[in-house]
Amino acid sequence: MSNYKIKNKKVSPTGGDLEGAKLIGPFTQILPLAGLSLKGAITDDRLQVIPNGGVLVENALVVEVGDFEELRNATREAEIEEITGHQVLLPGFVDCHTHLCFAGDRSKDYALRIAGKSYLEIAKAGGGIWDSVVQTRQASKEDLVRLLLQRIDRHSKDGVTTIEIKSGYGLKVEEELKQLCAIKLAAASCTVDLITTCLAAHILPRGFLGTASEQLEHIVNDLLPMVKNENLASRVDIFIEENAFNTTDATDYLRVAKQLGFDVTVHADQFTTGGSGVAVNVGAVSADHLEASGEKEIKLLAESNTVAVALPGSSLGLGMDFAPARKLLSAGACLAIASDWNPGSAPMGDLLMQAAVLSAYEKLTIAEVFAALTFRAAKALNLHDRGSLEKGKLADFQAYPCKDYREILYYQGKLKPERVWKLSEPLI
Ligand code: NIG
Ligand code: FE
């Protein structure tokens, strides 16, 4: 909870009167998730639980979180948004890794996978990421915007108030730009915040006759400057893997991307190791996947400032091991959990359900899971203005229809938020 104490009934901590302020509550419980460490394990006794809580908001920011009656008595000027029934309030979720900008589906791949074929075998046989590239190239920009808005709407109803979205199903300049423009257009017509990442270095496009390093050079020369100038993305990602890009080429590429002013992130250690080392060496904001990470990679990530992002939706979609989330936390890493929502490896897109399943298998505490879905995921996006409910943070939050916060993971994703607010305004 913030240290601010309201002394004068009419004066807000920002110095203005509270005429535009709004007090929302009472909530059966509020979990502000404030004051928790950015890295390492967190036991549940560290969670602050405010009973009969209220949240005072002004100018889309949190002003104060505390006892509802005390806040009401102290802020008589504030409008009241009354909550009825039992509701537990959490910060809005931040999904720091998705590929929401795609057309079509890969249900045929999925059928082959559950019948025993591997992701890499399917890719080699012409399915996989390339199939989504073909289907996404066939879609118009307007189609992509419509599909994006549908998926964003679904995600926001699940309590996700900030969504990272990657390109990467274009793989040539005009097609990557089409995807990035579609994300920009969708961002302009939805309330949820979209953080865009250029993943032109997803795989080598079919028919490209040069080397992987030449393709990266082409992206650097002919795409990234335009992306920067037109403000189409703030981040650059690369898939480091056999059949994608190697560690040497990726290191050079990410260094240049950083020089151009992008934050960088890596699809790392999904099937084989190497990517996480590159991420740490170049100072990437995050290393995502990590299913294949071993002791060496865990130590490296734990000692770094790079957020380790687990993507349980991809493990569920591929029927493969989860990232070693428990070991990463115990070693001291900053762990975030994201959906990886994409048409291939992670078609489900239910972030809370995936996090609940991961926590059951990996033995994560509720505090660790909520941290991984909020302020630690925000750190992976280099955002420090959200993810906890305390003075000055964005008023993004969600309320679950239950009496006790422990019910949220207990129902393994079936309990959905009844109310969601973005910048203090109700989304649902
Ligand atoms: O994060 N691993 C690489 N890229 C995506 C999958 C994209 C796809 O299969 O279409 C991932 O799992
Ligand atoms: Fe991904």
Side-chain angles (χ1 to χ4, degrees), residues 147-166:
L147 291 164
L148 272 167
L149 289 173
Q150 281 169 8
R151 293 171 191 138
I152 292 162
D153 184 57
R154 205 190 98 186
H155 228 26
S156 63
K157 287 182 172 134
D158 284 355
V160 184
T161 47
T162 301
I163 309 174
E164 184 266 8
I165 305 181
K166 301 172 197 300

Side-chain angles (χ1 to χ4, degrees), residues 97 267 288-289 291 309-316 323 336-340:
H97 182 138
H267 274 72
D288 305 27
H289 271 295
E291 293 88 337
V309 181
L311 304 170
S314 170
S315 302
L316 291 169
I337 302 172
S339 73
D340 197 18

